[in-house]
């Protein structure tokens, strides 16, 4: 009798284990099919497949290089935008931050003396080095993000209003610092290194078969992996998600809400600063108009990839694949002979569709 009971218990346990396994498998499939980034990936693969069939030039190595390089700048910005959106905020100033950082970097490595700077700055060699340009550029970006974060988290102002005001203020500052001119006459010895950062390939390493990947794209891939791990495995990432899910509850459980929010905005502006540095290195010039309307593309990339504008949801991979989809659509439209003026219509339609899909997924969860 005891043996039969033990056998029955063993069978029940086995059946429960199998049921648990099936449930786990179903939940994984449900999570995958319910993940917006998954469907964006499917859409991206479908577009690439169709375009490769219709336009063989689309599948060439040169076109792949151009697409990945072009969306890398927006992708880097979208990564920084994602934690901000997860917290339920938004940053409209990232495009202007790009313009400011570009001018700061350009002024540092500019060949000619700057009239409004002190003599020691114009005379010292170390103040005009490429690493000083990187340092001051990143610091300028971090300062913009810190001001945004403090006004939003500690003063309690709405993110939309704060960052909209910063969009105008920072762009004006970039115009003033550049004296409303493009900067391109850089010091040759420093400009070479600076251009290699944003305009180089494969980090200077020769790949088999001569395959080329731009430095900005490789940096985007690395940052995507890093941010993905941070959001999933670090306490800061868990705090970001907790704030977006329920800020009051997160505050009651001891989450340093204000500091985490400031950190999210600093990270967002730093990503814009990095995108500006890469862009200046790629183009070889600094323009105060750099980044105009880029904030919309960065937000669109994150939203298309599954970030919820109401907060609580968003992934690094979603920002990556969302930016890729936007630029593949742009490239496909150009190759199909569609007027470039129609690009905004298609991108806008995808943004609206992404928000609709998020609303539908939200209702299903409820």
């Amino acid at each position: 009798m005891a043996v039969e009971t033990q056998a029955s218990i063993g069978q029940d346990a086995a059946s429960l284990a199998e049921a648990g396994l099936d449930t786990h498998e179903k939940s994984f499939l449900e999570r995958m099919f319910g993940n917006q980034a998954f469907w964006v990936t499917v859409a991206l693969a479908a577009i690439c497949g169709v375009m490769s069939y219709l336009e063989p030039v689309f599948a060439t190595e040169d076109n792949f290089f151009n697409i990945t390089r072009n969306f890398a700048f927006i992708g880097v910005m979208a990564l920084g935008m994602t934690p901000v959106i997860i917290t339920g905020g938004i940053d409209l100033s990232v495009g202007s931050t790009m313009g400011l950082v570009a001018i700061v970097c350009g002024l540092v490595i500019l060949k000619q003396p700057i009239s409004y700077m002190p003599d020691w700055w114009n005379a010292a060699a170390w103040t005009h080095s490429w690493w000083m340009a990187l340092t001051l550029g990143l610091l300028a970006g971090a300062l913009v993000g810190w001001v945004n974060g403090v006004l939003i988290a500690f003063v309690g102002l709405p993110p939309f209003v704060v960052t909209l005001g910063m969009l105008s203020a920072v762009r004006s500052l970039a115009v003033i610092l550049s004296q409303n001119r493009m900067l391109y006459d850089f010091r040759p010895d420093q400009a070479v290194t600076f251009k290699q950062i944003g305009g180089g390939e494969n980090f200077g390493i020769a790949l088999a078969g001569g395959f080329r990947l731009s430095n900005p794209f490789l940096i985007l891939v690395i940052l995507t992996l890093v941010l993905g791990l941070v959001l999933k495995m670090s306490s800061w990432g868990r705090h970001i998600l907790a704030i977006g899910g329920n800020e009051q509850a997160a505050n009651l459980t001891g989450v340093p809400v204000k500091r985490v929010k400031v950190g999210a905005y600093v990270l967002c502006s730093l990503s814009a600063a990095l995108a500006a540095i890469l862009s200046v290195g790629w183009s070889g010039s600094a323009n105060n108009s750099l980044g105009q309307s880029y904030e919309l593309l960065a937000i669109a990339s994150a939203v298309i990839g599954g970030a919820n504008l109401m907060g609580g949801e968003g992934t690094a991979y979603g920002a990556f694949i969302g930016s890729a989809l936007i630029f593949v659509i742009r490239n496909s439209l150009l190759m199909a002979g569609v007027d470039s003026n129609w690009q905004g219509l298609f991108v806008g339609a995808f943004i609206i569709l992404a928000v609709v899909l998020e609303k539908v997924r939200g209702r299903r969860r409820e």
Side-chain angles (χ1 to χ4, degrees), residues 76-131:
V76 169
M77 296 174 67
L79 288 177
M81 186 68 68
T82 298
V84 168
I85 293 179
I86 292 175
T87 64
I90 199 167
D91 191 346
L92 300 175
S93 66
V94 289
S96 296
T97 301
M98 281 190 73
L100 175 63
V101 172
I103 294 302
V104 169
C105 293
L107 290 174
V108 172
I109 58 175
L110 194 65
K111 183 187 297 183
Q112 299 175 350
I114 306 171
S115 58
Y116 52 82
M117 294 298 288
D119 293 336
W120 66 265
W121 172 272
N122 291 321
W126 64 273
T127 57
H128 302 288
S129 60
W130 65 268
W131 58 266

Side-chain angles (χ1 to χ4, degrees), residues 13-26:
S15 62
L16 287 172
E18 290 177 1
L21 181 60
D22 292 341
T23 303
H24 177 75
E25 288 179 352
K26 288 181 180 178

